[in-house]
Amino acid sequence: MSDAIEVKLSTEHVVINPGEKAEVTAEVRNAGDVVEVFSVAVEGIESDWYSLSVTSISLFPGDKEAIRLSLAPPLSSASGAGSYTVTLKVSSRRDPSVAGTASFSLDVGKVSSYELDLTPRMVRGRSGEFEVVIHNTGNLTNTYKLEGSDPEGMCEFYFKSDTVAVEAGQTGTVPMIVNPKKKPLTGPPKLYRFTVKATPIASDVKTVDGQLECPALLPKWVIMAAAVGVVGVVAVIVLVAVSYTHLRAHETSLHL
């Protein structure tokens, strides 16, 4: 770096959360003995995290100018939480090897946010197979604890794993089976409403609702057919009994 360019910053440390804004001022001085046109660049962070008031300046020897660096990490998982070293580099266009730099530390705060879903939302069967879907919209990896419940306390919930770690910006899925403790034997299907809760380490709890419609084990037509069959068997037994009674009566009359 060259002593011909002096760069001084208004601060050495900035703390910011994604979605917020901050500003750092840099004073650039031409400490050389010739007129210079300088290019201004920022290193250490993504280009969509900042904007510069100017990207080039022209200074006579001994003159100085203030440059504003506006910081605005986007509110997204791309703005990873952590500490960054941000460097402002001012280079001579005449001779790019002549340059001056100044750095500050940028601490980006944690954002723990996520979306919770269930697919499908409703299943029809004696038990139900679902997938719990978690999309991590925050800027750090998070681990989620899964639980299922229903108002009647009539269902059992089986997760392939009751915890799942999801990286920032990624989606995690966990297979889940819902099994009613008591299933209808006859009659109309029984609808079980339930809720799946995801409890993350570093944010608010979220829930998603689902439904399982459990049909009767024996369809109505089977019960009706069985009833008709029973009636038929009874009728046959009665008919046989009556015929037998008449036959015995006839045999008795012959003997007399």
Side-chain angles (χ1 to χ4, degrees):
M1 298 301 172
S2 172
D3 293 335
I5 306 172
E6 296 178 355
V7 183
K8 295 181 180 180
L9 299 175
S10 60
T11 184
E12 295 181 350
H13 187 207
V14 175
V15 178
I16 192 171
N17 291 321
E20 297 179 350
K21 295 181 179 181
E23 187 172 279
V24 176
T25 301
E27 184 183 86
V28 179
R29 178 176 177 271
N30 183 356
D33 54 7
V34 296
V35 177
E36 289 277 13
V37 177
F38 300 107
S39 296
V40 183
V42 176
E43 299 175 346
I45 55 176
E46 299 295 330
S47 59
D48 61 346
W49 288 26
Y50 69 89
S51 63
L52 285 165
S53 58
V54 294
T55 56
S56 67
I57 52 176
S58 179
L59 294 175
F60 285 94
D63 283 356
K64 56 187 177 182
E65 184 171 331
I67 299 172
R68 295 188 308 278
L69 170 61
S70 299
L71 300 166
L75 184 58
S76 74
S77 56
S79 300
S83 183
Y84 300 82
T85 298
V86 182
T87 300
L88 191 73
K89 183 177 182 180
V90 181
S91 307
S92 168
R93 288 192 176 179
R94 175 182 56 83
D95 182 3
S97 65
V98 177
T101 62
S103 301
F104 65 93
S105 61
L106 174 66
D107 289 343
V108 178
K110 297 177 181 179
V111 174
S112 184
S113 60
Y114 66 103
E115 297 172 357
L116 179 64
D117 202 358
L118 192 66
T119 179
R121 286 293 185 95
M122 182 176 178
V123 168
R124 189 176 190 275
R126 299 291 286 176
S127 63
E129 294 184 3
F130 301 83
E131 277 195 340
V132 182
V133 182
I134 299 177
H135 180 53
N136 185 350
T137 56
N139 66 350
L140 72 161
T141 298
N142 215 333
T143 299
Y144 305 86
K145 172 74 173 178
L146 303 176
E147 298 175 77
S149 63
D150 64 288
E152 300 175 312
M154 295 297 293
C155 292
E156 295 174 322
F157 301 85
Y158 301 97
F159 298 94
K160 185 174 182 180
S161 174
D162 62 359
T163 59
V164 56
V166 185
E167 295 182 3
Q170 300 301 308
T171 298
T173 60
V174 178
M176 177 189 72
I177 293 176
V178 180
N179 188 40
K181 298 176 184 177
K182 294 182 179 180
K183 304 175 184 180
L185 180 62
T186 63
K190 168 67 176 177
L191 184 64
Y192 298 93
R193 303 179 188 275
F194 62 88
T195 298
V196 175
K197 179 172 69 174
T199 306
I201 291 176
S203 66
D204 296 333
V205 174
K206 290 190 177 182
T207 62
V208 61
D209 295 329
Q211 296 179 348
L212 168 65
E213 185 179 74
C214 186
L217 178 62
L218 300 177
K220 188 176 181 180
W221 68 266
V222 172
I223 303 300
M224 293 180 64
V228 171
V230 170
V231 171
V233 170
V234 172
V236 170
I237 292 173
V238 171
L239 181 59
V240 170
V242 170
S243 298
Y244 179 75
T245 301
H246 282 293
L247 180 60
R248 293 291 294 170
H250 180 66
E251 291 178 349
T252 302
S253 65
L254 290 176
H255 285 296
L256 293 174

